[in-house]
Amino acid sequence: MDSQKDALQRIIATLANKNEELQNFIETLNHTFGRVQDNSTQVVSDLEEEFDTLYSILDEMKESMTNTIKQETVRKSHELQNQLTQSTNALESAEELLEFANNALHIADEEEFTKAAKQIKDRVTMAPAFRLTMKPKATDNMTHLMVDFSKERQLLQGLKFLPVPRAPEIVLGDCLVIDNEVTITWRIPVEDSKIDHYILEYRKTNHEGLPRVKDEQCWEVLDNIKTSEYTLQGLRFDTKFMNFRVRACNKAAAGDYSDPVTLETRAFNFGFDSTSSHLNLKVEDRSVEWDPQGGKGVDSKVKGKENKGSSAHFTNLKNMSRSGTPSPKRTSVTRSPAPRGARDRFTGESYTVLGDTSIESGQHYWEVKPQKDCKSYSVGLAYRNLGKFDQLGKTNTTWCIHVNNWLQNSFAAKHNNKAKNLDVPVPDSIGVYCDFDRGQLSFYNAENKQLLHTFKVRFTQPVVPAFMVWCGGLTLSTGLQIPSAVRSFQKTENGLGGSNSSISQQDPSVACDICFYDKLPSVDSSLMP
């Protein structure tokens, strides 16, 4: 019966997955169908616009060339008309002179004849008929303005739709996800020398399968990529996966998208839990700042008595905290209303806030950056049941590194009210690495990945990131992969063993020692039973 039920449950799970795939496919088909109609209308409009442009160019060229012919006609006509006028006037002058010469032949008086002959000779010398060029200044030939559009007609008759680049293929084996960077590599199935650039699109998703048409995130576009590889840098992995697709473009058109691929981008994401913070902390999702006016409504008599009160005193303190009037400076906090009594989780000088997500297994990494003028802060881990008066590093259920910039500067690793000074400069930003299964908590300089300190712990229950801040603020960076430098260092460190120094635990249920390795920063090694 049980085996049949298990088999039926597997069949149900398979059917549910197939139904989801079919639903996604139907949505894709409907989306594609609608886009076909829209794109068809668009390309017809573009085609009409292109032809209208051609018509306009042809009309302009026709008008220009017609004007050229008209101008040539006017020029030749003007030249010929001038010659015709000059020739007519010369002919009239020549006919008059000819008649005068014929009449001179009949002059009987020798003196008069000689005078007339001289006059005729002078007039012939100056006659326009003998000064004119007997060649037309313009011909009637207009063949130089004729056209032959046979080649152009062939070009027009050869008009066709643009050649579109083929869809690229993403080479999944060459894609790389490391150090919050994603490198995507692709290739073109057929060599195409006319490809000018590529367009890469990506989006974040929590859906593991093929990209869905309707998703919470929109596609982000990276244009004008000249090579067949691209690396996205500085990403925050706040979703489990990322979808990628790419298309090739020539000078005129973009081709089809490649088949999309989905890459895993899991990372530890959490924020500050505002419901767990001290009243004097102004908490946002990824930042926390000490606010001296935050707990103004709490009775000042509570201070100095935190560790002496009874359960009745705790109840009275909760009631007082709830009835206190919050400071106007806390209005910038954006969070849902805290559960009843939750905002007095920490009291007195325990200016602590916890992360909102527990760690129960696996390896995780996050970074914390303090404000430059922050007087005191701690970064580490704690069990969720951390007491309201407990301070980080002063109990056997908390592990942290502590920075004090007030009066006497110090930089130390703390656990169970014991401290080990760290003989390294305080970094501008601290990286925290937790390997829950191996029981390891390490702190790094987030900039150069220098190891600052390591605790070796046998965790007996889930832990949460824990923070303390006084006179300053902290900014949290999550959604980070474990840096490759940290992974490499952890592999080397896990190969080492033994210790030459230890400090015993007061609580035997929590195993944690402080020890040293030669030539390595400080490391705490677990006491195995």
Side-chain angles (χ1 to χ4, degrees):
M1 179 69 178
D2 291 340
S3 61
Q4 291 179 343
K5 189 174 182 179
D6 291 341
L8 182 58
Q9 288 178 340
R10 289 194 296 270
I11 292 174
I12 291 173
T14 301
L15 288 174
N17 290 335
K18 180 57 65 176
N19 286 347
E20 183 180 359
E21 290 180 9
L22 284 173
Q23 183 63 37
N24 184 36
F25 182 63
I26 291 172
E27 290 179 355
T28 301
L29 288 177
N30 286 328
H31 177 76
T32 304
F33 178 78
R35 293 295 296 164
V36 164
Q37 305 302 319
D38 295 340
N39 291 338
S40 175
T41 302
Q42 182 62 47
V43 295
V44 168
S45 175
D46 293 342
L47 181 66
E48 291 176 346
E49 183 178 349
E50 288 294 328
F51 270 98
D52 287 342
T53 301
L54 281 179
Y55 298 150
S56 176
I57 292 174
L58 288 174
D59 287 339
E60 290 176 1
M61 291 301 298
K62 178 181 177 182
E63 183 178 0
S64 175
M65 297 177 80
T66 300
N67 286 336
T68 300
I69 294 174
K70 291 179 178 179
Q71 291 172 3
E72 183 68 0
T73 301
V74 169
R75 185 189 68 80
K76 286 193 172 188
S77 299
H78 181 70
E79 293 286 347
L80 293 174
Q81 184 62 48
N82 286 340
Q83 276 193 294
L84 182 60
T85 301
Q86 292 173 1
S87 297
T88 301
N89 293 335
L91 177 59
E92 291 177 354
S93 177
E95 288 177 344
E96 179 186 356
L97 183 58
L98 177 60
E99 182 180 0
F100 179 72
N102 285 330
N103 293 332
L105 289 175
H106 301 289
I107 298 176
D109 187 320
E110 183 176 355
E111 183 178 352
E112 289 292 332
F113 178 80
T114 301
K115 182 178 178 181
K118 184 177 183 309
Q119 185 178 2
I120 291 171
K121 181 180 179 181
D122 292 340
R123 290 182 62 184
V124 168
T125 303
M126 300 299 296
F130 295 97
R131 296 178 177 273
L132 289 175
T133 299
M134 296 300 177
K135 181 180 179 181
K137 291 185 177 181
T139 67
D140 59 354
N141 184 17
M142 299 291 282
T143 56
H144 62 291
L145 296 176
M146 295 181 65
V147 295
D148 180 8
F149 289 150
S150 57
K151 292 182 179 180
E152 287 76 8
R153 281 196 294 272
Q154 290 178 358
L155 287 175
L156 290 173
Q157 291 169 353
L159 290 178
K160 60 182 67 176
F161 295 107
L162 289 170
V164 178
R166 295 186 61 176
E169 297 175 353
I170 295 180
V171 186
L172 193 58
D174 292 340
C175 295
L176 186 63
V177 181
I178 188 171
D179 292 339
N180 281 81
E181 297 181 355
V182 178
T183 298
I184 303 297
T185 303
W186 58 89
R187 67 181 184 89
I188 295 294
V190 178
E191 184 68 25
D192 188 349
S193 61
K194 294 184 178 180
I195 291 179
D196 179 68
H197 65 278
Y198 299 93
I199 297 175
L200 175 65
E201 298 186 5
Y202 69 94
R203 70 179 177 187
K204 299 179 179 181
T205 182
N206 286 310
H207 179 68
E208 184 174 3
L210 292 174
R212 297 176 292 186
V213 173
K214 297 179 180 179
D215 202 281
E216 297 176 357
Q217 304 286 341
C218 297
W219 289 98
E220 301 287 341
V221 180
L222 297 169
D223 201 351
N224 202 34
I225 300 173
K226 296 295 185 180
T227 62
S228 57
E229 180 179 291
Y230 191 85
T231 299
L232 287 83
Q233 299 177 326
L235 296 172
R236 180 171 180 263
F237 291 160
D238 50 2
T239 58
K240 297 178 182 178
F241 305 95
M242 289 182 69
N243 303 141
F244 297 89
R245 64 186 184 185
V246 65
R247 64 198 306 195
C249 305
N250 54 30
K251 291 291 186 180
D256 288 334
Y257 287 106
S258 65
D259 290 335
V261 299
T262 300
L263 299 181
E264 186 175 7
T265 56
R266 295 180 189 271
F268 186 44
N269 284 276
F270 70 94
F272 292 114
D273 182 2
S274 63
T275 67
S276 73
S277 70
H278 190 284
L279 282 171
N280 284 98
L281 296 182
K282 183 169 62 176
V283 181
E284 295 182 359
D285 186 34
R286 286 182 174 80
S287 67
V288 58
E289 188 172 359
W290 186 71
D291 180 3
Q293 301 299 319
K296 191 174 182 180
V298 179
D299 192 337
S300 61
K301 293 182 180 180
V302 173
K303 290 191 175 182
K305 301 180 181 180
E306 301 97 57
N307 299 318
K308 299 179 181 179
S310 62
S311 59
H313 172 74
F314 291 162
T315 303
N316 184 46
L317 176 61
K318 290 181 181 179
N319 293 334
M320 291 167 63
S321 298
R322 289 197 297 269
S323 63
T325 303
S327 167
K329 291 186 178 181
R330 304 186 62 80
T331 57
S332 64
V333 179
T334 55
R335 53 180 175 268
S336 58
R340 185 174 178 84
R343 283 290 285 136
D344 62 349
R345 164 70 182 272
F346 295 106
T347 311
E349 294 180 357
S350 181
Y351 302 116
T352 305
V353 61
L354 303 179
D356 61 8
T357 304
S358 299
I359 299 175
E360 301 180 5
S361 63
Q363 303 174 43
H364 309 280
Y365 179 83
W366 61 95
E367 294 179 355
V368 181
K369 185 177 181 64
Q371 294 177 352
K372 289 186 178 181
D373 57 350
C374 190
K375 296 291 189 255
S376 178
Y377 62 93
S378 299
V379 178
L381 286 180
Y383 288 153
R384 175 63 78 174
N385 60 1
L386 183 65
K388 64 190 298 182
F389 299 110
D390 293 340
Q391 298 184 30
L392 298 187
K394 293 191 175 183
T395 69
N396 60 2
T397 60
T398 60
W399 304 260
C400 71
I401 57 174
H402 175 74
V403 177
N404 179 41
N405 296 318
W406 176 249
L407 297 180
Q408 185 176 0
N409 293 349
S410 65
F411 185 29
K414 291 187 174 184
H415 169 68
N416 201 22
N417 207 26
K418 298 185 183 300
K420 180 187 182 317
N421 290 326
L422 303 180
D423 190 19
V424 292
V426 178
D428 293 334
S429 184
I430 296 174
V432 184
Y433 168 80
C434 174
D435 186 339
F436 186 91
D437 301 321
R438 288 181 176 268
Q440 185 166 317
L441 172 63
S442 298
F443 299 90
Y444 289 85
N445 182 325
E447 298 299 325
N448 58 20
K449 302 303 181 287
Q450 175 193 12
L451 178 64
L452 304 174
H453 186 78
T454 292
F455 290 102
K456 286 287 189 177
V457 186
R458 186 171 66 243
F459 297 117
T460 60
Q461 57 181 286
V463 294
V464 291
F467 311 85
M468 185 283 294
V469 60
W470 176 70
C471 287
L474 301 175
T475 300
L476 182 63
S477 296
T478 65
L480 303 176
Q481 285 188 303
I482 300 172
S484 54
V486 173
R487 284 188 180 277
S488 177
F489 190 91
Q490 291 300 324
K491 289 181 180 179
T492 302
E493 183 181 351
N494 290 332
L496 300 175
S499 65
N500 54 23
S501 176
S502 67
I503 296 178
S504 63
Q505 288 290 319
Q506 295 179 353
D507 185 353
S509 66
V510 180
C512 179
D513 286 350
I514 300 179
C515 66
F516 302 89
Y517 290 139
D518 292 340
K519 300 181 181 179
L520 284 176
S522 56
V523 181
D524 293 355
S525 177
S526 60
L527 292 174
M528 302 306 294

